[in-house]
Amino acid sequence: MNSPSEARLEIEGLTFCYHSRQEPAIQDISFDLQPGEVMLLAGASGCGKTTLMRCINGLIPKIYRGSLEGQIRVYGRPVSEMSMAELSQSVGTLLQDPERQIVGSYVLNEVAFGLENLGLPRGEIMERVERTLDYLGIAHLRDREVFNISGGEKQKIALAGILVMEPRILLLDEPLASLDPASSSGALQLFRRLADDGISVLLVEHRVDEVLAIQPERVLYLEDGKAVYLGDPQGMLDVVDYRRVKLPARTVVRRARNAEPPPEFQPALPPPTQQPLIDFQKVGFRYRPELPETLRGVNLQVHPGDVIAVLGANGAGKTTLVKHALGLLKPTRGQVLLEGQDTRKLTVAQAAHTIGYVFQSPTQMLYAPTVEEELAFGPRNLAHPPEQIRADVSWAIRTVHLEPELKTPPLALSFGQQKRVSIAAVLAMRSRILMMDEPTAGQDYWNYRSFMDTILQMPGFEAILFITHDVDLAVIYANRILLIYNGQVAADGSPHAVLRDEEKLRACRVLPTSLLELNLELYPQTGRFLRAEALAQYVA
Amino acid sequence: MIVSFNYRNRHSLLERLDPRARWIFSLLVLFAITMFWDVRFLLFFLALTLGQYYLARLTWRETRRAWYFVFFIMTTMVVVNTIITSSGTIGAAMKGTHTVIFHQFTIPITGWIWELNLTVERLWFAVTQVTRILSISALFLVIPFTMDPRQYGATFRGMGLPDRLAYTLDLAFRFVPTLGRDFQLTLDAQRARGYEVEKVEGGLFTQIRKMAPLVVPVTMNAILSGEDYANAMDLRCFGLRKRTWIEKLTYHWRDYLWIGFGALLLIASVVLSLLGYGEFWVPSILLQ
Amino acid sequence: MEKKSLWAFGTREVVYAAIGAALYAVLSIATNFLQIPAAANVSIRPAVAIPMFFGLAFGPWVGLITGLVGNVISDLISGYGFWPWWDLGNGLIGFIPGLIYLQMTDFRSLGDIIKAEIMVVVGVAVGMFVASVSEIWVSGIDFATSMATNFVPAFISNIVNGLILVPILMIAYSAVRGRSGR
């Protein structure tokens, strides 16, 4: 371990309060960062992670105003004395959503952006851009249009645009949020390599379980703007509340052994019948005639009583598949029957009587001046009677625990709350089948488990289907798994039947989790998949 | 909805010219054209701009919609101008005496009297107008098909626009496909909630209010993402000093030639109009 | 949120001007199905509320660029060519409401909405007048024709769209505004 005087970054007693708020966002934070070190900064959303990063990269106080106390030094120099140009060449920041920080239309322009702004000569810019692209192994993307590039590669491009400025400290703000598990594992390996090559990495992430795989040197855990823990990863596992942050399954089992066992989880769904609700018959689909097929001969039936988790890598065709059920897309060959009717002959509005579909991003659908009106929008379109609408709206809002916000504009809520409003908006339509695309994205661990529990345990739905990257969600909630790979159904069956085939999962770019491994191990005793707390009683 | 640009490299002569030279040329020619009301000169310009159109190697399929649009607007303007309002910009010339049709209507109820007085001069003026509008349309119609969108920023920087303004253009082009995709997502999400945009109901006001579930989410989402984009740009030193543009444009001899040609046309036009040429002209054979 | 000067054009203005322009173009194209065939050069476009609103929310330059560049891009994508005087007219639709940017404090209050609506009307009137009058010079029509075929239809459709949608956007924006922490 290096002595503190060699630290790249030193923070002492840092407190910041935004101009527009009463409570400080972070309070009395102190730590330092060494060369070649990966430090994990963990905590639930709203814990002050983003604020802390803004203090380090200079956005606070240059852009965001408020009262700042304490010291931040980079290479021994106070950040407040450094210009943005100096600071940006010492501290690089990768923001959460790669899509929202790429400003160039083409890869070359994007990566060159920072150096162009520094006014360097064209020759030097080109040389450094080429070098960085080579380092990240994406030289082949150089002349591609950014818009048509996949999420994982987009993130590498955004990272290239930062590394090209040769920072020695790298801040990464929830870099895994928009990646599928296979890509995030690749991204994590890359961050480790950056640190091994001498860069100091501060990695903000709440997916603690996954980050531990690259063995961060230290962990800083924040709660409500205060540092609760600073030290090696092992120690954190004993301190952090496993109900709030997702920890490795074995840790949870160990710690939950002495705790109260969780209440029994009892899904409320009708008994299975033979008559399918949705029937995909040899469905093929291509977006444009010149493109290859996105779906390739899918056969699939959804029956009452099904709780289906759809797993698969980004771009495998999961969302395309689900959009067919609702008729948002019509098959280019084969047919989709919704309760026996060809979706080609139904309007989307007619299909919406049967299927409620929650889209991935809530911000893309919320528009009304109050939550109440937002929830009534769907049922009104479906011409439900007013009394029923009133009853359904109040039932839906209770389900997602947002009763106090009924009169609040949905756009003023936090992202997590908005997501729940978007789910409630579909619940209020009282459809028979519920479909959700990434229901847990951007949600706190505690929150999403709580509303998933409620939704599955409430009567009303005949079948539920959700797309997810989170294998644990499939393990805990599904009674049927659909594995999609390259536009085809690679596996379809009970969780145990599908998820025990690790080789096939990996071939489909789905990675087993610690919870899955533990469940498979204990399956002879349990006979079904359970959440980590419930497994505690089976472990000796 | 995939919103994309019509540009693809056609390897035409026009694309080998520097885009700055082409903008300058187009503006010079626009000013030259507007000096004439003499159809003989205008026919020259029509030939010139159609020549440029031909050089761009455009197909009818690609430009069909644009031409329909031009024809539609042109027809409305010319018909209204010739038949209904019938005074004309160039005053005296329109007050022809060679009447073809004369008719007086009394508009029922109001009792207003409206005169239809079609003269040879007026009809010929319409012909002149059509030639003029077509020349200008052909001049500008080629631009979207033959200019690489990634060069707009550098082009306008090269024409003297400040860095920030020029970069705004680049950024706007960057956002177009993203927002097109966002719009499609919002449309799908609302349709899944039973929203039917195709259904015509209520009057104009209701119809416009019905756009809110589409317009509001797309706009607010874009504004929220703007915060991130701006941060990302500040963190990479945008606007701190004079920036380098890696899209490099260089004038070649053919670009100077092209600008020179445009300038020559404008100068010649100015001189001709000072000498009294280019005023409205009707072939004397029609005035017999 | 701090507002410094009416005419500032920093990174944020660059981004919002670019977003506004792209949004104006995309919405114009996406909602073209509401065309009114009797109107020359213009259609019923809810998109026209975008430059007005961006002017009010981010200042006159952002409004100007949103309208002007947005119209250029929308014409580029539709393949309609380049019509500088109509682009300028659309720019003014955003620029003029932008002039009261500093007076906009509470986007939900009736007072601010009324002020905004007045500026919307002035902006459309001036913008469409400039564009229509240019047609006199370019196409050689007379004043009455330009008013009848260009100004009146453009004015009416833009006013109707703007007056209805600008307040809706303002109310939505007032909810969004509190979230950034600036």
Side-chain angles (χ1 to χ4, degrees):
Chain A
M1 196 52 95
N2 297 289
S3 68
S5 62
E6 283 175 43
R8 288 267 172 75
L9 172 70
E10 295 162 273
I11 294 181
E12 271 174 43
L14 185 67
T15 299
F16 181 78
C17 184
Y18 286 102
H19 209 62
S20 51
R21 310 214 179 125
Q22 304 294 314
E23 294 287 306
I26 47 173
Q27 238 176 316
D28 196 25
I29 306 279
S30 302
F31 67 95
D32 60 64
L33 199 58
Q34 307 291 336
E37 176 179 43
V38 176
M39 178 183 273
L40 169 62
L41 175 51
S45 61
C47 72
K49 293 177 295 193
T50 306
T51 305
L52 178 55
M53 297 192 93
R54 284 175 180 168
C55 289
I56 302 171
N57 64 26
L59 286 178
I60 290 175
K62 291 190 176 70
I63 306 293
Y64 298 90
R65 320 237 164 225
S67 63
L68 179 71
E69 286 165 43
Q71 272 291 338
I72 309 170
R73 282 186 296 273
V74 171
Y75 286 111
R77 278 182 65 197
V79 165
S80 51
E81 289 171 14
M82 294 168 81
S83 71
M84 206 66 187
E86 284 177 291
L87 193 54
S88 70
Q89 292 177 80
S90 314
V91 180
T93 313
L94 184 71
L95 303 178
Q96 184 170 338
D97 187 350
E99 178 71 49
R100 286 180 166 198
Q101 62 192 302
I102 291 180
V103 291
S105 293
Y106 293 83
V107 174
L108 175 65
N109 304 63
E110 165 59 19
V111 179
F113 179 75
L115 302 181
E116 288 182 303
N117 291 336
L118 290 172
L120 298 182
R122 186 174 288 112
E124 189 187 337
I125 294 179
M126 294 306 276
E127 192 208 314
R128 279 168 70 171
V129 169
E130 304 277 353
R131 207 182 329 131
T132 310
L133 289 175
D134 277 339
Y135 179 80
L136 294 173
I138 50 171
H140 59 286
L141 298 177
R142 205 193 90 148
D143 294 312
R144 291 266 304 274
E145 196 177 350
V146 172
F147 180 70
N148 297 316
I149 288 175
S150 75
E153 284 178 331
K154 257 185 204 158
Q155 187 173 62
K156 279 192 186 166
I157 291 160
L159 186 61
I162 289 150
L163 291 180
V164 81
M165 302 179 79
E166 299 176 350
R168 304 310 293 159
I169 299 167
L170 191 58
L171 310 180
L172 306 166
D173 190 358
E174 305 211 0
L176 308 183
S178 58
L179 303 182
D180 62 34
S183 313
S184 44
S185 147
L188 283 167
Q189 299 301 330
L190 174 61
F191 302 150
R192 182 77 255 178
R193 188 175 121 213
L194 290 172
D196 293 344
D197 289 346
I199 294 179
S200 308
V201 178
L202 183 65
L203 175 57
V204 173
E205 188 55 68
H206 66 263
R207 281 155 73 171
V208 172
D209 191 9
E210 283 162 72
V211 180
L212 292 180
I214 59 160
Q215 295 164 336
E217 273 76 9
R218 280 186 300 163
V219 181
L220 173 62
Y221 180 72
L222 296 186
E223 231 167 63
D224 300 328
K226 288 177 207 132
V228 172
Y229 177 82
L230 173 64
D232 61 28
Q234 200 49 50
M236 177 200 63
L237 296 181
D238 296 326
V239 176
V240 170
D241 184 350
Y242 61 85
R243 282 170 297 245
R244 301 214 148 256
V245 176
K246 189 163 137 190
L247 299 177
R250 280 173 207 281
T251 309
V252 178
V253 166
R254 176 167 52 79
R255 289 181 50 192
R257 213 173 302 161
N258 306 322
E260 193 83 353
E264 185 70 13
F265 171 66
Q266 232 11 296
L269 287 156
T273 59
Q274 278 314 301
Q275 194 58 36
L277 290 164
I278 305 170
D279 192 356
F280 280 70
Q281 296 177 345
K282 298 196 188 110
V283 171
F285 177 77
R286 55 183 91 224
Y287 279 94
R288 270 177 291 158
E290 69 273 19
L291 293 176
E293 279 196 326
T294 310
L295 293 182
R296 306 187 301 150
V298 172
N299 283 308
L300 168 71
Q301 296 186 327
V302 177
H303 293 279
D306 279 342
V307 181
I308 304 176
V310 184
L311 299 176
N314 278 344
K318 303 184 301 278
T319 302
T320 307
L321 180 82
V322 172
K323 282 186 174 172
H324 271 84
L326 192 56
L328 283 168
L329 298 172
K330 315 278 183 192
T332 37
R333 66 188 169 89
Q335 58 177 355
V336 179
L337 303 179
L338 182 60
E339 296 186 287
Q341 279 184 290
D342 191 329
T343 54
R344 286 200 193 86
K345 300 197 180 87
L346 293 171
T347 65
V348 178
Q350 285 167 330
H353 284 279
T354 311
I355 299 182
Y357 182 16
V358 184
F359 274 65
Q360 185 169 352
S361 167
T363 48
Q364 259 139 4
M365 59 177 269
L366 302 177
Y367 82 99
T370 66
V371 169
E372 191 172 23
E373 281 175 61
E374 191 73 56
L375 300 194
F377 178 67
R380 244 180 236 147
N381 287 332
L382 300 181
H384 288 181
E387 322 80 68
Q388 191 196 332
I389 294 179
R390 224 169 298 127
D392 290 342
V393 163
S394 81
W395 165 77
I397 198 79
R398 266 181 281 130
T399 306
V400 297
H401 312 299
L402 282 174
E403 297 95 318
E405 311 292 352
L406 209 54
K407 298 286 174 202
T408 315
L411 287 163
L413 299 172
S414 76
F415 184 82
Q417 290 172 318
Q418 288 188 348
K419 181 85 191 183
R420 284 184 276 150
V421 171
S422 76
I423 291 171
V426 171
L427 295 180
M429 290 162 64
R430 284 291 191 178
S431 44
R432 295 167 53 197
I433 308 170
L434 178 66
M435 294 187 167
M436 298 182 279
D437 195 345
E438 291 288 351
T440 62
Q443 291 285 306
D444 276 346
Y445 183 59
W446 180 84
N447 244 329
Y448 79 63
R449 290 218 316 186
S450 140
F451 75 69
M452 284 297 285
D453 281 354
T454 319
I455 289 173
L456 274 127
Q457 294 185 84
M458 77 194 166
F461 293 112
E462 291 178 30
I464 295 177
L465 179 148
F466 55 90
I467 296 175
T468 186
H469 285 318
D470 186 346
V471 175
D472 287 356
L473 207 65
V475 167
I476 298 174
Y477 294 107
N479 61 22
R480 180 174 164 195
I481 307 280
L482 206 57
L483 187 60
I484 306 292
Y485 182 67
N486 204 7
Q488 287 175 313
V489 177
D492 180 1
S494 72
H496 182 249
V498 175
L499 296 176
R500 74 178 160 192
D501 189 349
E502 188 182 333
E503 213 168 297
K504 187 176 233 168
L505 287 185
R506 286 191 187 273
C508 296
R509 293 176 56 80
V510 173
L511 303 182
T513 58
S514 59
L515 179 66
L516 174 59
E517 279 161 12
L518 193 60
N519 261 305
L520 287 171
E521 213 172 279
L522 296 172
Y523 192 73
Q525 287 124 277
T526 57
R528 59 193 169 127
F529 285 174
L530 293 168
R531 60 192 72 198
E533 293 95 315
L535 284 175
Q537 51 184 312
Y538 293 94
V539 180
Chain B
M1 182 168 312
I2 304 290
V3 184
S4 60
F5 293 93
N6 293 298
Y7 176 76
R8 62 183 169 85
N9 197 336
R10 291 153 221 271
H11 307 285
S12 65
L13 185 65
L14 221 47
E15 284 157 282
R16 252 174 283 155
L17 292 168
D18 188 303
R20 292 170 293 180
R22 292 186 44 206
W23 281 110
I24 296 171
F25 174 83
S26 301
L27 291 173
L28 291 172
V29 174
L30 170 67
F31 281 102
I33 293 175
T34 52
M35 314 207 94
F36 293 100
W37 284 109
D38 184 330
V39 78
R40 291 166 298 183
F41 289 100
L42 288 172
L43 279 173
F44 163 78
F45 283 109
L46 183 61
L48 179 84
T49 56
L50 285 177
Q52 188 195 245
Y53 177 82
Y54 175 77
L55 278 182
R57 294 187 182 173
L58 296 175
T59 61
W60 168 246
R61 237 180 93 85
E62 291 171 301
T63 52
R64 190 177 49 189
R65 269 184 67 208
W67 282 117
Y68 287 157
F69 180 68
V70 168
F71 280 120
F72 173 72
I73 291 165
M74 186 171 70
T75 313
T76 334
M77 288 201 295
V78 170
V79 166
V80 171
N81 196 52
T82 313
I83 299 177
I84 301 171
T85 59
S86 61
S87 57
T89 356
I90 42 169
M94 288 289 288
K95 293 203 188 82
T97 46
H98 298 73
T99 302
V100 182
I101 300 172
F102 181 83
H103 196 86
Q104 216 171 31
F105 295 95
T106 309
I107 298 169
I109 306 166
T110 57
W112 292 336
I113 294 172
W114 176 67
E115 258 176 30
L116 172 68
N117 183 8
L118 275 186
T119 61
V120 169
E121 288 84 350
R122 192 170 291 160
L123 286 173
W124 192 252
F125 181 74
V127 171
T128 310
Q129 253 180 334
V130 166
T131 317
R132 193 166 140 130
I133 296 173
L134 284 179
S135 321
I136 295 172
S137 307
L139 176 66
F140 286 119
L141 213 108
V142 295
I143 288 177
F145 300 93
T146 56
M147 279 198 195
D148 187 346
R150 79 172 104 177
Q151 284 187 332
Y152 279 102
T155 303
F156 284 97
R157 177 75 191 96
M159 287 165 70
L161 231 61
D163 270 343
R164 284 174 204 261
L165 223 47
Y167 200 78
T168 307
L169 287 177
D170 259 14
L171 210 50
F173 284 97
R174 147 82 180 88
F175 290 140
V176 165
T178 307
L179 290 171
R181 184 199 55 201
D182 288 355
F183 181 83
Q184 181 67 54
L185 268 173
T186 298
L187 182 60
D188 280 352
Q190 306 299 38
R191 286 170 74 202
R193 296 163 80 191
Y195 171 81
E196 284 176 296
V197 78
E198 306 84 359
K199 201 158 79 184
V200 181
E201 52 180 312
L204 182 63
F205 284 75
T206 325
Q207 198 68 26
I208 293 174
R209 278 185 66 90
K210 235 187 106 185
M211 300 307 295
L214 293 180
V215 175
V216 171
V218 178
T219 307
M220 295 306 139
N221 201 31
I223 287 174
L224 284 171
S225 69
E227 186 79 14
D228 280 349
Y229 286 114
N231 285 346
M233 287 168 71
D234 279 333
L235 287 172
R236 288 199 280 161
C237 308
F238 180 75
L240 291 184
R241 41 183 98 146
K242 190 173 176 306
R243 76 195 296 274
T244 313
W245 290 72
I246 53 166
E247 294 291 346
K248 194 175 174 186
L249 295 173
T250 28
Y251 280 124
H252 296 283
W253 58 268
R254 52 173 181 264
D255 301 312
Y256 292 116
L257 218 61
W258 192 242
I259 296 174
F261 178 45
L264 195 71
L265 286 173
L266 181 60
I267 293 168
S269 305
V270 172
V271 170
L272 282 172
S273 69
L274 285 178
L275 293 176
Y277 293 95
E279 302 272 333
F280 181 52
W281 168 85
V282 186
S284 49
I285 190 161
L286 290 177
L287 299 177
Q288 306 273 298
Chain C
M1 183 166 288
E2 261 171 79
K3 289 176 175 179
K4 277 161 270 168
S5 134
L6 191 57
W7 304 106
F9 199 71
T11 310
R12 262 151 187 78
E13 285 73 22
V14 168
V15 170
Y16 287 119
I19 286 178
L23 193 59
Y24 185 28
V26 166
L27 287 179
S28 302
I29 294 162
T31 56
N32 248 349
F33 57 88
L34 284 174
Q35 257 190 10
I36 293 184
N41 259 15
V42 276
S43 45
I44 287 277
R45 305 183 300 172
V48 80
I50 298 297
M52 303 165 179
F53 168 70
F54 271 67
L56 291 164
F58 306 109
W61 289 134
V62 174
L64 179 74
I65 295 170
T66 297
L68 195 155
V69 177
N71 208 51
V72 172
I73 294 178
S74 127
D75 283 350
L76 286 183
I77 293 172
S78 319
Y80 288 159
F82 176 63
W83 309 95
W85 46 99
W86 282 97
D87 298 330
L88 177 67
N90 275 280
L92 290 172
I93 287 182
F95 179 80
I96 289 172
L99 295 173
I100 58 161
Y101 158 66
L102 291 183
Q103 277 86 59
M104 302 301 291
T105 46
D106 178 6
F107 283 78
R108 277 168 58 185
S109 72
L110 189 63
D112 278 11
I113 290 178
I114 290 171
K115 273 189 274 176
E117 296 276 65
I118 292 170
M119 290 308 271
V120 163
V121 176
V122 176
V124 172
V126 174
M128 292 300 96
F129 186 78
V130 168
S132 303
V133 166
S134 312
E135 286 288 358
I136 299 177
W137 169 65
V138 177
S139 302
I141 50 176
D142 59 40
F143 183 77
T145 306
S146 104
M147 287 301 118
T149 62
N150 294 310
F151 180 78
V152 171
F155 178 79
I156 290 174
S157 71
N158 287 338
I159 279 293
V160 171
N161 283 289
L163 288 180
I164 296 174
L165 289 172
V166 164
I168 294 179
L169 286 170
M170 285 172 67
I171 289 169
Y173 180 60
S174 77
V176 166
R177 215 155 64 114
R179 278 177 51 197
S180 77
R182 291 216 300 141

